[in-house]
Amino acid sequence: MDPFSDAGELFAIHNLFYQGAYKEVLEQSLAGYSDSAITQARVYQYRAQIALGSFDQVLAELEDTEGNASLVAVKALALYKAGEIESSLELVGELAETASDDATVQVLGAIVLYLAGKVEDALSLLSKHEGNLAAVALIVQIRLLQNKLDLASKEVQLAKKWGQDNLLVNLSEAWVDLHLGGDKYQEAFYIYEELAQTPSTSNARTFVGQAIADIQLGRLEEAEDAINSALERDSTSPDVLVNAIVLYILLGRDSSQYLEVLQSVDAENYFLTDLEEKSALFDSCAAEYASLIVE
């Protein structure tokens, strides 16, 4: 059974986490969870803290992991994010030997391995899953990053046979569609549109996905409506801000206000570092050919 897609008491916190609603995840009370679900609920909250940058707090709370493989996996991820890479990989190695059938170990262990550049080890750990949709979604992401679209698409089609209508399956299908392009852009749009219009799945990320599909389809005005909806829900999300900047550039408008906010909330964002590198490269090329310019 896949604890990440539980249709019962974990359903709400599961959906909130995978929509990137980390603050809402932390606001969820754990008082009503059964003994069988409480650990997974705690895992979601610890992962939300990690996503928000509170690595040290998570490590302090998990100083004693009670011999629980899922919590040890969370600790390994927190260690990696805190820069203690060797300690993190050591824990993951131990978990891969002793608890590779644990759904949380499969997902978080694979995340650590992938981040450390051990891609095949990550895929090997994920391949041990039995009905773990979070593992499937991560496999899809890795295959897309490898530009192996056929393998990513195959994972989605297999998952749809037994995980139809699950949020992770829907998102995975939309990711693949956006990479395949062409007519698939419209299919991705329909998925995000449905998610954005459904109260339980409507948030900044679903509107960003809808905006990306609109941009690829050349519908910039519609994309602006979706981005505005995303900004209304989370005006400091790096994902929202990056896509707002791209859209405003495409519209020929000033995007400096969003660039300034992005620099203040996530100065190390890949978009910013890539922009800085390309700007420096342009300046270097311009300087090299400056002497050839005729006044």
Side-chain angles (χ1 to χ4, degrees), residues 275-290:
L275 184 63
E276 184 176 348
E277 289 174 5
K278 285 182 170 55
S279 178
L281 180 61
F282 176 83
D283 290 343
S284 176
C285 290
E288 183 177 348
Y289 291 99

Side-chain angles (χ1 to χ4, degrees), residues 40-196:
Q40 284 305 321
R42 290 174 64 192
V43 166
Y44 283 124
Q45 291 200 327
Y46 285 134
R47 291 183 67 186
Q49 286 180 272
I50 292 171
L52 293 171
S54 300
F55 321 130
D56 293 337
Q57 184 177 342
V58 172
L59 289 172
E61 293 183 29
L62 292 179
E63 188 171 344
D64 180 6
T65 54
E66 308 164 7
N68 186 303
S70 293
L71 297 182
V72 175
V74 174
K75 183 176 182 178
L77 179 60
L79 283 169
Y80 192 94
K81 292 292 188 175
E84 299 183 40
I85 296 174
E86 290 186 10
S87 297
S88 173
L89 288 172
E90 183 177 346
L91 277 183
V92 170
E94 294 172 1
L95 290 170
E97 291 291 329
T98 61
S100 62
D101 60 340
D102 183 281
T104 306
V105 169
Q106 292 165 359
V107 173
L108 303 194
I111 290 173
V112 169
L113 290 168
Y114 180 83
L115 292 174
K118 300 178 181 293
V119 180
E120 293 308 317
D121 289 342
L123 289 169
S124 176
L125 182 56
L126 289 168
S127 71
K128 300 180 186 299
H129 83 83
E130 295 182 4
N132 181 353
L133 287 173
V136 172
L138 187 51
I139 292 171
V140 170
Q141 287 185 324
I142 291 173
R143 291 307 190 189
L144 290 176
L145 288 167
Q146 293 178 316
N147 203 32
K148 295 182 178 181
L149 304 188
D150 55 335
L151 294 179
S153 182
K154 181 180 178 180
E155 287 290 337
V156 171
Q157 295 308 313
L158 288 173
K160 286 176 68 175
K161 294 179 180 180
W162 50 272
Q164 186 70 34
D165 293 330
N166 182 278
L167 174 64
L168 286 173
V169 176
N170 290 334
L171 288 174
S172 296
E173 185 173 13
W175 300 335
V176 171
D177 286 344
L178 286 176
H179 278 75
L180 290 173
D183 294 340
K184 292 294 183 179
Y185 285 137
Q186 187 63 49
E187 294 184 27
F189 171 82
Y190 287 140
I191 293 172
Y192 282 118
E193 181 185 42
E194 182 175 355
L195 292 173

